[in-house]
Amino acid sequence: MQEIWQDAKYRVLANAEISDALDFFGLPGSAHGLSGVTGTFRLFGPAYTLRFAPVDQQNPGTVGDFIDDVLPGQVIVLDNGGRTDCTVWGGILSQIARSRGIAGTVIHGVCRDVEEGVECGYPIFSRGTFMRTGKDRVQVEAVNQSVSLGDVRVNKGDLVCGDRDGIVVVPASRIQEVLDKALAIHETEQSIVDSVKSGLTLKQARAKLGYHQLQRSQ
């Protein structure tokens, strides 16, 4: 059965429109400080989440082989507490994820081996890049539980969207209404452009089509 978000009509949406729709419903979801690092900026899919913690010297774990359990089309969301001194994603993972049809990776932290991600065309969004491994520094703490992308909470199955503007997250229970509102915003904004091309001033077109109220709840 096709998920709601897989409907082709939603593929025209930009994150700016989804962010405005989230504002309309009073929902958080626009994750500040994350940007694409591999030059492949489009991702769209349900979250597979992991949370890392500093390594437990008495009971050490690993950075994990979680990639074996991720399904095609999912977006891997890694919460490393925003750390920028060690990585939780590198070139081996990028190549395997790309070969398995995983939609992309989003990291509350940093990644390395960026060139390998670029070469295989795999989307990665993070807070930056740094070469030092997370091995023996952090370990997997939780899988498919709530994680953080800074000021945005992400749960398993939430819709994660990435483009050149960054990352937005839509709660799983609100996907259809948020995407439908974003689509209405997209169509209104296109109508404004068409109206100006047909002779209206921008002020007239915006007033006619309610541009300044698009993101405001009624």
Side-chain angles (χ1 to χ4, degrees):
M1 179 177 171
Q2 179 175 279
E3 299 288 347
I4 295 164
W5 57 269
Q6 292 177 307
D7 192 318
K9 68 183 179 182
Y10 298 126
R11 293 295 171 156
V12 301
L13 294 175
N15 276 6
E17 295 156 346
I18 299 172
S19 178
D20 285 354
L22 289 167
D23 280 350
F24 179 85
F25 291 111
L27 296 171
S30 300
H32 183 257
L34 294 166
S35 56
V37 298
T38 59
T40 304
F41 295 107
R42 187 67 171 168
L43 60 81
F44 203 76
Y48 181 100
T49 63
L50 286 99
R51 185 169 65 250
F52 293 85
V55 69
D56 182 347
Q57 299 295 342
Q58 303 304 312
N59 187 30
T62 73
V63 290
D65 299 315
F66 56 87
I67 197 79
D68 295 330
D69 301 317
V70 184
L71 299 176
Q74 290 184 310
V75 175
I76 299 170
V77 179
L78 305 179
D79 179 2
N80 195 27
R83 288 182 65 164
T84 58
D85 65 319
C86 65
T87 69
V88 289
W89 188 270
I92 291 174
L93 290 172
S94 292
Q95 293 181 67
I96 293 171
R98 179 67 171 135
S99 71
R100 294 186 178 176
I102 294 168
T105 296
V106 181
I107 309 166
H108 184 31
V110 294
C111 61
R112 71 176 187 174
D113 299 323
V114 175
E115 192 60 35
E116 291 179 52
V118 171
E119 289 175 356
C120 70
Y122 184 72
I124 304 171
F125 288 74
S126 72
R127 298 194 178 276
T129 62
F130 192 58
M131 77 296 299
R132 189 162 66 181
T133 182
K135 290 182 289 186
D136 299 328
R137 295 185 172 91
V138 297
Q139 63 190 55
V140 174
E141 183 82 355
V143 178
N144 278 331
Q145 297 182 21
S146 290
V147 301
S148 166
L149 291 176
D151 55 353
V152 172
R153 180 184 294 270
V154 187
N155 295 299
K156 177 186 177 182
D158 288 350
L159 181 63
V160 183
C161 312
D163 67 12
R164 289 180 183 271
D165 287 342
I167 293 292
V168 293
V169 180
V170 182
S173 63
R174 308 292 295 273
I175 290 173
Q176 181 154 17
E177 61 185 324
V178 170
L179 293 186
D180 284 345
K181 179 60 180 177
L183 190 59
I185 290 171
H186 171 85
E187 291 169 351
T188 299
E189 291 185 339
Q190 187 57 55
S191 293
I192 290 171
V193 173
D194 292 342
S195 294
V196 173
K197 289 180 178 179
S198 296
L200 291 184
T201 66
L202 178 58
K203 182 177 180 179
Q204 289 170 332
R206 282 178 165 176
K208 176 183 177 182
L209 292 159
Y211 172 81
H212 296 293
Q213 290 78 43
L214 286 178
Q215 81 290 352
R216 295 179 190 167
S217 58
Q218 301 303 311

